[in-house]
Amino acid sequence: MGNEQQGGTTTAANKIEPATGKLGVMVVGLGAVATTFIAGVEAVRRGIAKPIGSLTQMGTIRLGKRTDNNSPLIREYVPIAQLNDLVFTGWDIFEDNVYESAAHAKVLDKDLVEQLKPFLETIKPLPAVFDQYYVKRLHGTHVKTGKNKRDLAEQVRADIQAFKKTVDRVVMIWCGSTEIFLEPAAVHQSIEAFEKGLETDDIGIAPSQIYAYAALSEGVPFANGAPNLTVDIPALIELSKRNSAPICGKDFKTGQTFMKTVLAPAFKARLLGVSGWYSTNILGNRDGEVLDDPESFKTKEESKLGSLDYIFQPELYPDLYKDIFHKVRINYYPPRGDNKEGWDNIDIFGWLGYPMQIKVDFLCRDSILAAPIALDLVLFLDLAKRTPELRSIGIQEWLSFYLKSPQTREGLYPEHDLFIQSMKLKNTLRHIMGADLITHLGLEYYD
Ligand SMILES: NC(=O)c1ccc[n+]([C@@H]2O[C@H](COP(=O)([O-])OP(=O)(O)OC[C@H]3O[C@@H](n4cnc5c(N)ncnc54)[C@H](O)[C@@H]3O)[C@@H](O)[C@H]2O)c1
């Protein structure tokens, strides 16, 4: 059962293209999360701060037996891009550069933002693809115009092509606002139907899908930090596979859902029942304002509600989880800014049905939790693009770890349990590097 490779180079690892040259990061929406991500990377590059919360930067991976004592840093074991090689650009519906937008978001201390000003103010947004029908609370002024949605997609493709000339590889990440709730429709069912819909300005195609279509058409991997439908449709899954442009799930798993996908697996592992889970949040940033619109909230609500059902599997454990009352609320409360407070009241029951309660009060910083996720997704999607075994499968299920709504092949239920997701991610890294998987069986120690 030993690991012969011990983290050394293997045939499988040899096939991964090296991360040489510059990695261009195209960010859609330069708001609180995006500016915290970009400023954070620059602060780390300058040695001013540490990349806390980032698995790619601080995480280790065990190779071989526990007794081998071989746990290299992930970034030294797997060929991911170096932070010094990241180059940023993006789009926004407002003209503010990243310095102005970071100052407006008030996530980072003024001192830090001022220190980084010369770098941050060089990143100026390109005009966005935007339509207020899809985000009611925003009124964009820095937007592209075109004769139809296809024309807009072509303009985004031209932006990508121009950026590609200045860097070696490109990844796109949506850090834009939450769009209204859209159900998959006929226009989403095939690439042909989607392209026809672009011509006819089909209402089922949201701006996020125009960016994603442009990225995938250019062979560029695409990540989605918001709960929008975006690439969760047959047309774009197919395009992702056709053009070897990896995609993953949606909606950064940061605060409350992160806690849910930690606590729920624990209750299930101990066979403790749950009768109710009430979650409420107060949030005062622009994201909170957008989510105050019922149509955008519905998109978020669906994403936040999904996890429990999949973790608890009520069909397998009807006595424990069949009748859970699960409610999620988000209230816009400006005084808190980006510092969200999320409360959870969990009604559980134990031996012989006796009830108990758990209260969680998470005073979190939304964008501080989201920024390292954005970084890791960008670096791992770029790795997937350079890995022959991963690049043409489309959906990268191993990145579920980072997302409230993991994406899976049709007919496959998503894994929401954070610890299963973490194991899946690390085993995928071991696998592509040609190392033995770790199953935690451990019988070999007792031979
Ligand atoms: N912070 C978190 O913990 C967290 C967690 C999960 C998901 N998210 C999601 O991430 C997204 C960003 O969050 P945020 O706090 O940075 O919000 P934000 O409002 O500060 O930033 C969003 C930015 O996107 C821009 N935008 C909107 N539509 C656009 C378009 N079509 N093209 C280009 N730009 C566009 C807005 O002008 C704004 O600058 C939201 O959808 C949010 O729900 C955040």
Side-chain angles (χ1 to χ4, degrees):
M1 289 291 289
N3 181 338
E4 301 305 319
Q5 293 86 21
Q6 301 296 309
T9 310
T10 66
T11 322
N14 278 339
K15 289 190 185 141
I16 305 176
E17 290 158 22
T20 39
K22 297 287 177 201
L23 174 61
V25 184
M26 303 195 88
V27 188
V28 192
L30 294 168
V33 172
T35 57
T36 308
F37 162 38
I38 297 170
V41 167
E42 181 62 6
V44 174
R45 293 201 279 220
R46 294 194 193 180
I48 302 172
K50 296 243 183 290
I52 294 172
S54 161
L55 185 69
T56 60
Q57 302 308 303
M58 302 192 80
T60 61
I61 184 161
R62 189 186 114 204
L63 301 170
K65 293 184 182 181
R66 266 181 273 165
T67 44
D68 290 346
N69 260 331
N70 185 16
S71 294
L73 281 168
I74 287 174
R75 69 182 149 86
E76 287 173 2
Y77 176 59
V78 184
I80 52 174
Q82 304 291 308
L83 293 193
N84 278 334
D85 287 331
L86 300 192
V87 180
F88 296 96
T89 185
W91 296 266
D92 205 285
I93 65 169
F94 301 113
E95 259 176 276
D96 294 354
N97 63 44
V98 170
Y99 162 74
E100 291 162 331
S101 180
H104 176 259
K106 294 197 180 66
V107 175
L108 300 174
D109 292 343
K110 205 165 178 265
D111 283 357
L112 178 61
V113 177
E114 288 304 320
Q115 233 177 314
L116 303 173
K117 180 175 177 181
F119 169 75
L120 298 180
E121 64 186 0
T122 61
I123 308 168
K124 301 184 176 90
L126 298 156
V129 175
F130 182 73
D131 179 341
Q132 203 180 11
Y133 172 74
Y134 300 91
V135 187
K136 300 279 189 284
R137 294 286 154 101
L138 295 183
H139 180 68
T141 48
H142 186 54
V143 297
K144 296 188 195 301
T145 50
K147 74 174 192 307
N148 56 24
K149 290 183 179 178
R150 168 173 287 290
D151 186 6
L152 295 171
E154 292 303 331
Q155 292 181 44
V156 177
R157 287 185 73 166
D159 290 343
I160 299 171
Q161 287 160 8
F163 189 51
K164 268 183 173 170
K165 294 201 176 102
T166 66
V167 293
D168 297 272
R169 304 177 311 282
V170 176
V171 171
M172 189 188 290
I173 183 164
W174 174 275
C175 291
S177 311
T178 302
E179 296 173 332
I180 58 169
F181 184 68
L182 288 180
E183 305 258 23
V187 71
H188 302 133
Q189 298 311 310
S190 67
I191 300 176
E192 295 67 35
F194 190 90
E195 288 179 339
K196 193 154 171 264
L198 286 173
E199 294 277 357
T200 57
D201 275 336
D202 194 295
I203 201 160
I205 299 180
S208 66
Q209 293 175 315
I210 296 178
Y211 287 100
Y213 170 81
L216 303 178
S217 299
E218 291 295 321
V220 167
F222 180 90
N224 185 8
N228 315 330
L229 183 65
T230 318
V231 296
D232 221 348
I233 55 171
L236 295 184
I237 295 171
E238 196 46 46
L239 194 59
S240 151
K241 287 199 265 189
R242 185 197 277 179
N243 293 341
S244 296
I247 52 173
C248 49
K250 58 193 181 191
D251 205 3
F252 300 132
K253 176 151 90 173
T254 49
Q256 200 163 52
T257 310
F258 164 57
M259 297 307 288
K260 256 181 203 166
T261 62
V262 169
L263 291 174
F267 303 145
K268 187 175 150 197
R270 286 292 173 89
L271 283 314
L272 291 168
V274 178
S275 56
W277 199 311
Y278 180 79
S279 305
T280 187
N281 299 273
I282 54 174
L283 173 63
N285 59 14
R286 194 185 281 151
D287 185 32
E289 195 180 347
V290 167
L291 294 174
D292 209 34
D293 170 55
E295 290 190 75
S296 285
F297 175 68
K298 171 124 176 75
T299 310
K300 193 62 139 187
E301 187 183 28
E302 291 284 319
S303 179
K304 277 178 159 268
L305 283 174
S307 57
L308 285 191
D309 244 18
Y310 287 111
I311 292 174
F312 286 136
Q313 297 180 292
E315 67 291 353
L316 289 183
Y317 303 97
D319 290 339
L320 302 176
Y321 308 120
K322 188 166 58 68
D323 296 317
I324 300 179
F325 187 90
H326 186 197
K327 191 92 199 151
V328 178
R329 286 261 150 270
I330 299 179
N331 294 299
Y332 178 50
Y333 181 62
R336 282 296 170 88
D338 201 65
N339 295 353
K340 179 158 83 179
E341 183 159 5
W343 289 274
D344 283 277
N345 170 75
I346 314 158
D347 284 287
I348 67 169
F349 53 93
W351 186 242
L352 314 180
Y354 281 77
M356 296 168 259
Q357 289 183 11
I358 297 172
K359 315 277 180 190
V360 180
D361 184 2
F362 191 1
L363 290 105
C364 61
R365 292 173 187 266
D366 240 12
S367 302
I368 293 294
L369 292 169
I373 295 184
L375 172 63
D376 285 1
L377 283 173
V378 162
L379 295 181
F380 280 146
L381 280 174
D382 171 53
L383 172 71
K385 171 84 188 173
R386 286 181 285 106
T387 304
E389 207 182 340
L390 299 179
R391 70 170 144 241
S392 54
I393 59 171
I395 300 164
Q396 307 292 314
E397 207 195 299
W398 58 288
L399 297 177
S400 301
F401 177 67
Y402 295 108
L403 299 154
K404 281 195 199 72
S405 300
Q407 194 171 2
T408 50
R409 205 200 66 200
E410 208 188 343
L412 205 57
Y413 73 80
E415 267 316 339
H416 281 271
D417 177 327
L418 189 88
F419 302 101
I420 295 178
Q421 292 173 332
S422 153
M423 233 185 294
K424 187 194 276 284
L425 189 157
K426 288 194 173 182
N427 268 337
T428 304
L429 297 180
R430 293 183 186 105
H431 174 72
I432 62 170
M433 295 299 289
D436 283 349
L437 305 189
I438 289 184
T439 63
H440 301 284
L441 180 65
L443 284 179
E444 67 273 26
Y445 302 111
Y446 298 90
D447 279 348

